[in-house]
Amino acid sequence: LFADKGAEAVAKLEAEYGADVLFVPTDVTLEADMQALGEAIRNTYGRVDAVIAAAGIASGNNPAGTTVEPNPDPEANMVINKPLASWQKVLDVNLTGVMLTNKVMARLMIDTGVQGTIVNIASVAARRPLPGAADYCVSKAGVEMLTKVLSVELMPYGIRVNAIGPGFIETPMTANLRSDNEGNMMVMAMTPMARYGRAEEIASTALFLSTAESSYFGGQILFPAGGMFTG
């Protein structure tokens, strides 16, 4: 499924923008896979300048884990009822996967003398507790602290590490919420701007953090979240 979507994305980027795209199917929870990705990048391009660590899942309960499902039983996903395997899957992808991405790509930057940027995708859930989503909230809070620690560790190499904490965005992950009246009302009640964010708004934030326009940013998390979190 994901390999097919990756191939579709490559074809679209090449056709519409004439982009030079390398696609390597990767399980971010496996260090060997991440090392192979790093080697593929080095062999193809010789270096990496900017990294976006965006792999993530909303839940460990469904096969893909990529969608938020409105749950008729509000207690089903509470910590006291959550299976350990579900909890662990979310942390493996959302936190360990980000750590491995950062580790491998930062090492590649250091080895090739590149003063690059890393942007980690966290969530407004890193700061706002969401009942029934403890694993997701904890994983994203971990991404925020990981970002801060790595920022301090990598600054001597000229590598900047920052993060983004999106709110509810119009992506496949929120499709079920958007089509469910009760779920949609819940989201609107939590979002002062009373709308979902657009993927382009997150992309533009990532672009800002990946360029010299943000050259004095380090260890920060920006929240394009429609006012859900204001600090």
Side-chain angles (χ1 to χ4, degrees):
L1 173 63
F2 295 112
D4 291 342
K5 288 185 177 295
E8 290 174 8
V10 168
K12 183 175 182 179
L13 288 168
E14 291 177 339
E16 294 187 12
Y17 303 102
D20 178 13
V21 183
L22 172 69
F23 171 55
V24 182
T26 304
D27 183 339
V28 297
T29 70
L30 301 177
E31 188 165 13
D33 271 25
M34 286 306 309
Q35 293 286 2
L37 174 60
E39 284 301 309
I41 293 171
R42 185 166 188 167
N43 292 337
T44 303
Y45 302 110
R47 58 187 283 158
V48 61
D49 295 275
V51 174
I52 312 295
I57 59 175
S59 167
N61 294 329
N62 53 316
T66 55
T67 58
V68 179
E69 298 280 355
N71 198 318
D73 181 359
E75 296 190 356
N77 288 319
M78 289 176 59
V79 173
I80 57 174
N81 297 319
K82 187 179 294 290
L84 178 59
S86 176
W87 167 278
Q88 192 63 57
K89 181 177 179 181
V90 173
L91 266 67
D92 285 347
V93 175
N94 291 4
L95 181 54
T96 301
V98 170
M99 180 276 292
L100 288 174
T101 302
N102 285 210
K103 175 183 178 180
V104 170
M105 297 305 161
R107 173 50 60 187
L108 177 56
M109 289 178 183
I110 293 169
D111 289 347
T112 54
V114 172
Q115 296 186 347
T117 61
I118 296 174
V119 177
N120 295 322
I121 304 301
S123 169
V124 70
R127 298 285 188 89
R128 182 163 181 168
L130 303 176
D135 42 10
Y136 186 78
C137 293
V138 169
S139 70
K140 294 303 187 176
V143 168
E144 180 179 4
M145 182 52 69
L146 174 68
T147 298
K148 293 179 181 296
V149 172
L150 282 173
S151 175
V152 175
E153 291 185 350
L154 296 175
M155 277 183 185
Y157 299 98
I159 299 171
R160 295 191 297 109
V161 187
N162 292 286
I164 302 173
F168 291 97
I169 311 300
E170 290 181 351
T171 68
M173 184 177 283
T174 62
N176 289 329
L177 282 176
R178 286 182 280 122
S179 63
D180 177 77
N181 185 58
E182 186 174 341
N184 189 62
M185 289 177 62
M186 176 198 74
V187 171
M188 292 300 101
M190 295 171 64
T191 309
M193 285 190 183
R195 71 170 176 86
Y196 290 85
R198 299 186 302 275
E200 292 84 355
E201 292 172 310
I202 308 307
S204 62
T205 307
L207 181 61
F208 167 71
L209 290 174
S210 301
T211 66
E213 295 297 320
S214 61
S215 58
Y216 209 44
F217 281 74
Q220 301 299 306
I221 180 168
L222 302 184
F223 290 96
M228 279 184 68
F229 177 78
T230 58

